[in-house]
Amino acid sequence: MRIAVFIENRNGVGLTARILSAPGAREHTFLLVTADLDGDVGRWIGEEASARLDGTPVRNLFREEETLAHAQFLEETGPRMSEFARAESVDRLILFNDQSQRGSRVAQALSDTLPVVLVQDGHLDFHYKRLSPGRRDQNWYYGSSDAAAVCVWGPATAHHLLFRTADADPVVHITGALGHSDDPDLLRAAHHPAPRPARPSREPLRIIVLDQPLGDQRKLAAGEHREYLRAACESLTEFGEVAIKPHPSTLSGHLNWLGTLPGVTVLDESALVDAAGLDSYDLAVTFFSTTYLQTLRAGVPLVLFSPPPLNIVFPAVNHALLRNVGSVGELTDVAGQLHRTGKFTGNNTGEPLTHFLTFHDDVAERILAVTLEAKVREPRAAPGPAPDALTPTGTRAERALRAVRERQTPPRSLAVLGLGFGYVTGVAIPVLTYTQALLGHSPVDIRYIDLSAYHRTEDVLDALRDVDVVLVNSLAPLWRSAIGNELVGELASAGRKVFLYAHETEHVMAYEAEHHTLRHKEMLRLLPRTGVLCVSSAQADMFRALGVTDPVVVYNTVPQDAHRVRARVAPGERPRIVMVGSMQDRKGLDIFSRVAELASAEGLSWRFAWIGHRTPRIASSTLLSDRVTWMGSLSRAGVREELAASDVFFLSSVDDPMPLSVVEAVQQRLRVVTYRRVGSHEVLDGVSGYRSFSDYTPRAALEALRAALGERVAEDDYREVEELFGIPAFTARMTAALGLPGPDDVPDRPRPATPVKDGDPADGHTPDGRPGGSDTADGHGAGELRAVVPQQVRHLNEDFKRHVGKGNIEDALRVGTEILRRRQPVDVLIGMAELRAARGQTKEACQLLAAAAIVGGDRGRVWAEISRVAALLGARGRAIRQLARKESVRAQVTHHSARLRKGD
């Protein structure tokens, strides 16, 4: 087969080299082609190809001596690519970007004539600060060219492509990233980051700033880009040596400007920065970039700096070596702590790295297989008028209901509270799948708050201050977190919309009532004040008995796998019975083992296998039969393969609300057997291929297995169940449920607003320094992260003084507020009062001065400082100033008298 690869940059050459090294690639002919008129791109690609492709030539569709305007060049790219494909008898095309100027024209020219396979070449899962109906960044539209297949890095990108619009139907394959997903060093760094050697405190840092061409890409005005870059470099030079590595595509104008920055070293923009090149640095800084993969490999901390005007931002990844900041002040606080203590504070909340990057050891082989199997997409039918525009459909009641539902909109902002987020446990999978589907539908602001990272309710409330809906994922945070119940209570009392997505049933509730009695009682008092979302009707009945007036059954979902091999229609000669779940008593280890023993005693040639890791929750009396193959934990792909090689999925759990493993078994058309009291029974009861047992005994389970093996799977019924748990249906149910009013809600209740009075400025700050309005003085939007690096108060005092000295008022207020939450040092109280007074915030300044007077210290100096600040308060400060003068004189007289008495 003749496969063309369209290459636009150096990175594309590296990706191509990896595809050519895949097993089976030598059986095909690869034709490498680019499009360049100016000569630079072609030269870069040629240099890289000579080093990486063993002399394989890269054909240029244009000659350097051609005199074409840029618009003519782009117009010619598509037709010339079509002619190249015809002349060379190309069967397939691989490209890495269908939204670039060249790539979009190549994809448009060939998508209708031969299979075009799009391979993701960089991080695409960016978030946005401001959401508007206008055209978004090109990353948003990646994969919208009707390619025959799209190979992406991970589930986040896959869900975005699948749910970007209502009619999106790309063929998406989660293959992982070439050179990243199959790198064992990156895998170790992703899950178990190795700590860097301890470095002496106060030793100068070596800092590298990985610049991006924000102005050239029109992501930020060139002037603003340079302004924030200059400010960042000036602040960082306080802590050591700063080097700037420009992006390879940076234009000469910006390169010349970089050379004018004082005190920094500008590196060669053409040099590639890999893990080895980064190893000598103590800290890396960038705006948003795939460079985070190299810094993780090198074990170098990376700060992702998002200046206020930059709309597109890198999402917060929960990792010890990655940190997101939103201002120059926050950036310098992170660098300052590393300089002082040798410690780097990464994001303590956010999305898991595996959300964006799936790890496989055969990525190139997977991409080659997708390429060989790809088929030309059929042309889409022209959209016709909607059915409602022709004639009314349905009954009057149905049409009235549809009219109401059409007005439903997803929440503009959603915070998910939980204890860890990863595609590992069944508790996190449904909500992560939902949020990614929601992001695919529209650019909603979604935040993941890991309560295990917080110790004070105030900090979480600050992070949630402008969120429309709060979704608590499972009841576990209310039992495990010391602030969980208090937080939910505060939100409910403030009239905020709070929902609990419950995954627990009676067994877990009884266990927690025994082991976390006080918190369990607090949780029961909170339940009627929140909206409760359930995974089964039986679970909803349980919550009604606990006082919840209107629980909503939304069920759950699982991620869509691109390839699901179905189980054989008829059982084999030796039927295989499998269970997937962690090894613990609640999952039915004992009954599974005893059924295996009973089947062997009766001479049945059945094989039993259990997939899942062993836990300590196994009693000494639990039987672990050697008739069962205990397979341990497997990858998601491995589990799918084992399910396809089995005949019956035997869920032996005594208590399971709505197990996702059963949904996966249904997707692969396995026969299913469960205990009658688990949630799966209510959706599978009566379906051919499913059996349940009402007596939780080995004999009853064995007979249910025997009956299931004698039935054929009902394809239509299984498909209906699969659709019930499909991502589109689950997303619609969850979004509708989150739009429902809470138990005490009044529709369209206005959100409380902070009135501007008593000299308060229009910037909307609250007395403790937090933003209370839609925009703050330094340009922060309502949803911005305003983080304070967790550290000792003495280090915070140093940050506060530095910000005050440099005139960084916003950052001084931010750090000062954090100090005052912990302690009330008089110098910080006076400093904060002076800052508030300078802003005309008279009331807040007076409160801070009063606190300083109470705290004490050197009374004469304290009152002298109060008098000085009071002079800034105008008429209201006169009385304070007079009092302060008197108290200052009194303190001085008292001190002098005490010294005289001591001298006597």
Side-chain angles (χ1 to χ4, degrees), residues 534-774:
C534 301
V535 297
S536 69
S537 298
Q539 188 189 52
D541 291 339
M542 179 190 71
F543 280 107
R544 287 189 185 93
L546 294 174
V548 178
T549 57
D550 189 22
V552 180
V553 179
V554 294
Y555 296 112
N556 52 18
T557 190
V558 294
Q560 287 180 335
D561 290 321
H563 302 287
R564 293 196 299 268
V565 179
R566 293 192 176 185
R568 51 181 170 251
V569 176
E573 294 182 0
R574 299 185 61 208
R576 189 168 188 256
I577 298 163
V578 67
M579 165 64 178
V580 179
S582 57
M583 293 176 61
Q584 56 176 298
D585 287 339
R586 185 175 67 87
K587 297 287 185 179
L589 279 172
D590 190 77
I591 194 173
F592 195 88
S593 294
R594 295 191 186 279
V595 170
E597 293 285 346
L598 184 58
S600 176
E602 294 193 2
L604 298 173
S605 58
W606 296 356
R607 296 170 295 153
F608 289 80
W610 186 297
I611 303 170
H613 68 280
R614 182 168 183 150
T615 73
R617 296 187 290 275
I618 303 175
S620 58
S621 59
T622 299
L623 175 64
L624 296 178
S625 172
D626 57 6
R627 304 286 182 186
V628 177
T629 301
W630 305 100
M631 303 186 68
S633 180
L634 298 179
S635 67
R636 183 172 179 81
V639 173
R640 287 296 202 186
E641 292 175 3
E642 294 299 328
L643 289 176
S646 302
D647 297 291
V648 181
F649 183 83
F650 173 25
L651 184 81
S652 51
S653 301
V654 66
D655 178 85
D656 232 327
M658 187 59 73
L660 299 179
S661 54
V662 172
V663 179
E664 293 176 333
V666 167
Q667 289 176 341
Q668 294 188 246
R669 300 305 187 259
L670 265 76
R671 296 163 181 81
V672 177
V673 171
T674 75
Y675 181 40
R676 184 178 293 269
R677 294 190 63 185
V678 302
S680 305
H681 177 77
E682 69 182 57
V683 295
L684 284 169
D685 187 29
V687 174
S688 178
Y690 168 77
R691 288 301 178 101
S692 64
F693 50 99
S694 55
D695 295 328
Y696 195 71
T697 62
R699 171 57 64 183
L702 180 73
E703 294 305 322
L705 287 169
R706 196 194 309 269
L709 283 168
E711 291 183 347
R712 291 180 66 90
V713 168
E715 174 62 28
D716 291 342
D717 290 337
Y718 264 53
R719 186 186 303 113
E720 185 178 337
V721 173
E722 183 179 359
E723 290 174 355
L724 173 67
F725 291 91
I727 297 176
F730 177 72
T731 301
R733 290 194 300 271
M734 281 290 288
T735 302
L738 295 179
L740 296 173
D744 302 319
D745 280 354
V746 177
D748 297 324
R749 173 187 297 188
R751 293 286 295 273
T754 302
V756 178
K757 60 181 181 180
D758 196 13
D760 287 356
D763 67 1
H765 277 76
T766 57
D768 63 356
R770 292 175 295 166
S774 60

Side-chain angles (χ1 to χ4, degrees), residues 3-42:
I3 304 172
V5 184
F6 184 71
I7 302 172
E8 296 186 74
N9 49 39
R10 291 177 184 268
N11 188 42
V13 177
L15 298 176
T16 303
R18 295 182 181 277
I19 295 174
L20 295 181
S21 66
R26 294 185 180 275
E27 301 174 7
H28 308 278
T29 300
F30 285 85
L31 307 168
L32 313 185
V33 60
T34 188
D36 179 49
L37 190 62
D38 299 328
D40 287 341
V41 173

Side-chain angles (χ1 to χ4, degrees), residues 811-833:
D811 291 303
L813 290 172
R814 172 176 55 82
V815 177
T817 298
E818 181 64 21
I819 295 173
L820 297 182
R821 285 174 172 174
R822 305 185 189 187
R823 292 172 52 189
Q824 285 75 45
V826 67
D827 54 344
V828 175
L829 288 167
I830 295 292
M832 289 284 283

